[in-house]
Amino acid sequence: MYAFCYLEITMSMVDEPLYPIAVLIDELKNDDIQLRLNSIRKLSTIARALGEERTRKELIPFLSENNDDDDEVLLAMAEELGVFIPYVGGLEHAHVLLPPLETLCTVEETCVRDKAVESLCRIGSQMRENDLVDWFIPLVKRLAAGEWFTARVSACGLFHIAYPSASEILKAELRTIYSQLCQDDMPMVRRSASTNLGKFAATVEKAHLKTDIMQIFEDLTQDDQDSVRLLAVEGCAALGKLLEPQDCIAHILPVIVVFSQDKSWRVRYMVANQLYELCEAVGPEPTKTDLVPAYVRLLRDNEAEVRIAAAGKVTKFSRILSPELAVQHILPCVKELSSDSSQHVRSALASVIMGMAPVLGKDATIEQLLPIFLSLLKDEFPDVRLNIISKLDQVNQVIGIDLLSQSLLPAIVELAEDRHWRVRLAIIEYIPLLASQLGVGFFDDKLGALCMQWLQDKVYSIREAAANNLKRLAEEFGPEWAMQHIVPQVLEMVNNPHYLYRMTILGAISLLAPVMGSEITCSKLLPVVVTLAKDRVANIRFNVAKVLQSFIPIVDQSVIEKTVRPCLVELAEDPDVDVRYFSKQALEAIDQVMMTS
Amino acid sequence: MTGGDGDGDGDVTAAPPLDWKFSQVFGERTAGEEVQEVDIISAIEFDKSGDHLATGDRGGRVVLFERTDTKEHGGSRKDLEKTDYPRSRHPEFRYKTEFQSHEPEFDYLKSLEIEEKINKIKWCQTANGALFLLSTNDKTIKYWKVQEKKIKKIAHMNMDPLKAVGNGSIASSSTSSINSLSHTLNGACTDKSYNSLNKDFSSSAAINALRLPVVVTSNETNLVARCRRVYAHAHDYHINSISNNSDGETFISADDLRINLWNLEISNQSFNIVDVKPANMEDLTEVITSAEFHPTHCNTLAYSSSKGSIRLIDLRQSALCDRHSKLFEEQESPGSRSFFTEIIASISDIKFSRDGRYILSRDYMTLKLWDINMDSGPVSTFQVHEYLRPRLCDLYENDSIFDKFECCLSGDGQRVATGSYSNLFRVFGSSPASTEATTLEASKNPMRRQVQTPSRSLTSSISRVVRRGGEVPGNDTNGNSLDFTTKLLHLAWHPTENSIACAAANSLYMYYA
């Protein structure tokens, strides 16, 4: 005991025991990648043991030199170095971390480079201004002039950190370098420059924004490579937010209007996704005159992928517009889309269209949207119907459910009997939501029977989900309702000739018991379980043992002693080994409860 | 420039015919040596710079060669060219490395054997001095990185000095190394109890004794090929082509009925961009035989079909490119139709010219050059096998009629080449005024055959647009008939120089002019 204490004291003095450190250090170069990875992940531990000075002078140079490792190890290294400032002696020494990250910025694996850039940004954003000038900016310039495209790709992501602390002359140089990167021979570099333009632009002074940056942007929007133009579209919204509204209207708006009619469907697809963000930047009037027509064109695009993207933004776009504009321009398109030839377009529409109800208000919803809801509820494609049903609560708030319920029921019934079990599974998941929206009365009449029917589905996942559904319904409507509408029906099925169905019932009982409470469990559920203990199928019997175990916290001790334990004792003598095993486990659990109470 | 050099790029009139010379052979067969099936070359590809050449074989191996004649001179090469010496140097290659790209597999779901044979190789963007390439067999595409690595040795370790040399197992390292550490730190260690160990370590001297592993880099280098990504399970039918996009991030793979688009960095998903599979397979009349991206236009690709048509596709038009933007096919002359018409019309290979203006296609009998701005018909047709027409029946009987010959264009677009039987290959001048039509044999004496070839007949040069170059004899001088078992299917033209690499069974022959 004494020695143990002594050990404790000495250990606390060195912070960590050293022999594992020695192992960790050696394993930085182990042949097993898992061990190397482990060591790299614990780099901070090694650094703490070595101390700040040795970390700076030995560990960091060591890492800089040993960077031809597996991607996984390099990725971990890039990540660890990002939070390494405390281990090299704080901010004044932060620059020593740059060299190993610089080499990681040049590897060919994109995720390693991205992580290295991320870590460099993290370090750079904490570094002191003159350190940035002395160390960080030269690094950015070196990477931007790198022989291989990998270095230049990484450089693009660092300008926004380097730029603010640079002198005027340096700033001008950095802007020039960036515009050169945007004209690089390699499309990879131009893509990276395009992606990072928004971030860089945010740090550039207003005066240069309108000249230099907009020139760069315009060049990118006319790039030969579709993939570069695509990313320029993404930059539109970011740049638009930086510019004054009138500049945005003058420079960004024409570009986005041109993009919305680009020859490449992928460019139009991006516009469809981004357009609503730009509305805020340009203000209401240009939105009305330019962006709404552009959006309407996209909603009617020839390419289904573009319509899918546009349809998915219908609600977001409508929210920005006044209800009148939405009714006037967007709604007609929505009507067309609801009978689009592509099921994916209808599905995308169905997943958002319910959100339009609060935007349009009650009258317009009843008059205009309701027919669309109803037609989508009758769609031949199950996903469309499911998407409508899943968002039912949104429309319920505006117009109530009654107007829909007539069409809802056939849709639900049809989905409930769909031949694809995944569709059946999806509708089961929504049943509790439907129940809460539709209310007890409606549910009892129409849906109760369906819930029971699923318990006897051919697919296990459906039976399992059905049992879970019963539990959630019992929670929603309360034990009293469940006692009337669920329990009797469930218990009736316990005599099903097929043991798999009996097993489902057993599962349902164990799920329902906690919700129903002690009294009903004892009076109704327990007797049934006890009878099943005599089942001829061993799988049922050991599941009985499991269910009985789950009853222990629910029922009274007296009941356990009187009913549960005798039943389990009997099962513990069962010829089947599994039955014996599980009943013994249950008995042990009982004993444990007895001990503690 | 000296005359026979064939560098008359700017010539409006045709360049003079090239004088082909033997350059090198790799894997030459000795007399009487039996060719092993696995050694037969099944793919040849130069990289963009022409400094590297890759071959794939039926055994699933990829062999890389590197150019030696430029490297030695490095920067001084330009000066050499400036001087008035005739350029005696021609591309010379040496074996660089090889690796096993694909292994034979068995698809248990479909009870199908998947051969390891390499169908195509494509070079990708070089980065950080490492070479990257894609290789594919019938089902699986792999992305390879080949890099020269300096051999490193770990010279110092904290723990067991033995461990630094060998690679001890993890289990042993953790126990034995603790002991050895205590040796180094204490000098003498008798009782290695847990406690005493920790006590020793707590001293600052112990911390100072901790050393980072010292890595000694030797000057020896070692070429390592590593498989970076595997693009699998996307093709129900056999992959016939792969092709990189000019954007540097995507590539396509084509099988008999579908073309998929991949991102090089994402191996678990691809997009189907062309699907010619009919709803009912009994309606199937046409399959995809070859596909290639335009060399500079990222949104254009061409694919050929078994019915002899080439379709140009604009990826911008729609996500699923069922409709072509251009169709190139030649109307067959009425009356000439026979049982074999459709079989011999099947295109076995297409290639874009370097500038993307032309597409070269090879069918069983001919090479055709198409201008992508002219879809009414080919600008030139070159007869490769016209003399075989009377023997189509035999060729059908022995399945030779289904042989898939590849074709290639020279870097300047002035010439085209394709293979034939008896290890022969043919080179044609592609410019309208050219009458060049050379037959060479893949042997150390490539012009052996040409001596016997009668000089170009006047008629063929006059009726150039109609047919030309159809004068190869069916028999050689000894009266032996053509050997249909020795066929030259694969060949590639150096991207910048007049140099051709071609495969005769297991041997790689290289010629220059």
Side-chain angles (χ1 to χ4, degrees), chain B residues 379-444:
Chain B
V379 284
S380 302
T381 302
F382 310 96
Q383 297 299 338
V384 184
H385 276 164
E386 191 54 31
Y387 56 91
L388 289 178
R389 201 172 279 277
R391 305 175 62 179
L392 287 176
C393 234
D394 300 340
L395 292 163
Y396 181 76
E397 288 293 315
N398 64 16
D399 276 353
S400 294
I401 203 166
F402 300 107
D403 285 336
K404 289 179 172 299
F405 291 98
E406 288 179 0
C407 58
C408 57
L409 289 115
S410 64
D412 57 13
Q414 294 287 311
R415 290 176 183 82
V416 296
T418 191
S420 177
Y421 292 105
S422 303
N423 279 343
L424 297 179
F425 65 99
R426 310 204 64 198
V427 180
F428 301 96
S430 64
S431 66
S434 173
T435 57
E436 181 178 356
T438 316
T439 304
L440 298 112
E441 185 188 45
S443 71
K444 281 186 172 169

Side-chain angles (χ1 to χ4, degrees), chain A residues 29-317:
Chain A
K29 279 282 142 197
N30 197 290
D31 286 328
D32 185 332
I33 176 177
Q34 282 312 319
L35 295 180
R36 290 203 303 278
L37 204 51
N38 179 51
S39 282
I40 289 286
R41 287 252 168 255
K42 296 198 173 118
L43 217 49
S44 57
T45 313
I46 296 175
R48 256 185 298 170
L50 290 175
E52 292 169 358
E53 193 179 344
R54 288 191 67 193
T55 299
R56 285 198 299 272
K57 290 191 174 150
E58 294 174 39
L59 182 60
I60 300 296
F62 171 82
L63 295 175
S64 302
E65 282 159 27
N66 292 280
N67 49 28
D68 57 347
D69 212 325
D70 282 292
D71 299 329
E72 226 176 320
V73 178
L74 296 183
L75 182 67
M77 195 195 290
E79 189 168 4
E80 293 298 324
L81 288 174
V83 292
F84 228 60
I85 293 180
Y87 308 112
V88 293
L91 284 181
E92 58 182 307
H93 296 289
H95 64 85
V96 303
L97 294 172
L98 302 186
L101 285 169
E102 183 176 347
T103 35
L104 289 175
C105 275
T106 63
V107 301
E108 76 273 355
E109 184 58 44
T110 311
C111 63
V112 176
R113 285 203 310 269
D114 288 350
K115 189 56 86 178
V117 167
E118 190 187 316
S119 288
L120 275 176
C121 289
R122 180 177 291 180
I123 292 168
S125 59
Q126 298 171 60
M127 279 169 75
R128 297 179 306 192
E129 197 151 294
N130 54 334
D131 284 346
L132 278 170
V133 175
D134 290 345
W135 306 96
F136 200 87
I137 295 177
L139 173 144
V140 174
K141 283 161 71 177
R142 273 196 304 276
L143 285 175
E147 181 190 2
W148 302 103
F149 72 90
T150 47
R152 305 200 295 277
V153 165
S154 296
C156 298
L158 297 170
F159 277 73
H160 66 287
I161 300 292
Y163 190 81
S165 56
S167 64
E168 278 310 313
I169 306 163
L170 259 180
K171 278 185 175 174
E173 192 185 347
L174 287 175
R175 288 196 303 273
T176 313
I177 296 175
Y178 202 89
S179 88
Q180 279 162 2
L181 289 169
C182 290
Q183 293 162 31
D184 199 279
D185 284 342
M186 288 288 174
M188 299 81 154
V189 180
R190 301 206 298 278
R191 276 196 292 273
S192 179
S194 201
T195 309
N196 288 294
L197 185 63
K199 264 190 275 177
F200 178 47
T203 64
V204 172
E205 297 80 1
K206 281 251 150 71
H208 300 300
L209 193 61
K210 271 163 76 176
T211 53
D212 297 12
I213 299 294
M214 286 315 293
Q215 186 54 51
I216 291 175
F217 174 69
E218 258 158 55
D219 289 346
L220 288 172
T221 60
Q222 285 157 26
D223 201 281
D224 287 341
Q225 289 286 342
D226 291 349
S227 51
V228 177
R229 288 210 311 283
L230 281 181
L231 295 165
V233 176
E234 282 195 314
C236 281
L239 277 179
K241 284 171 187 160
L242 295 173
L243 292 167
E244 299 290 328
Q246 68 269 22
D247 292 328
C248 187
I249 292 165
H251 298 291
I252 307 282
L253 195 61
V255 174
I256 202 87
V257 171
V258 170
F259 271 151
S260 75
Q261 300 170 70
D262 196 280
K263 267 178 100 172
S264 168
W265 69 268
R266 284 171 67 197
V267 172
R268 299 198 304 275
Y269 174 91
M270 293 297 271
V271 175
N273 268 324
Q274 303 275 327
L275 201 58
Y276 73 97
E277 282 193 53
L278 211 72
C279 294
E280 289 167 35
V282 296
E285 198 48 39
T287 297
K288 195 174 141 190
T289 54
D290 292 303
L291 294 183
V292 169
Y295 184 62
V296 166
R297 266 198 304 276
L298 293 169
L299 284 170
R300 292 179 170 148
D301 200 279
N302 278 331
E303 174 55 43
E305 295 289 335
V306 178
R307 294 200 304 276
I308 291 171
K313 297 287 184 240
V314 141
T315 298
K316 276 187 173 160
F317 202 87

Side-chain angles (χ1 to χ4, degrees), chain A residues 54 71 106 108 110 303, chain B residues 128 145 167 210 228 265 318:
Chain A
R54 288 191 67 193
D71 299 329
T106 63
E108 76 273 355
T110 311
E303 174 55 43
Chain B
N128 299 341
K145 173 189 179 184
N167 39 350
L210 281 180
R228 304 283 309 205
E265 297 194 346
S318 73

Side-chain angles (χ1 to χ4, degrees), chain B residues 201-219:
Chain B
F201 268 107
S202 63
S203 67
S204 66
I207 299 171
N208 289 336
L210 281 180
R211 289 274 173 271
L212 287 163
V214 177
V215 179
V216 180
T217 313
S218 74
N219 281 330

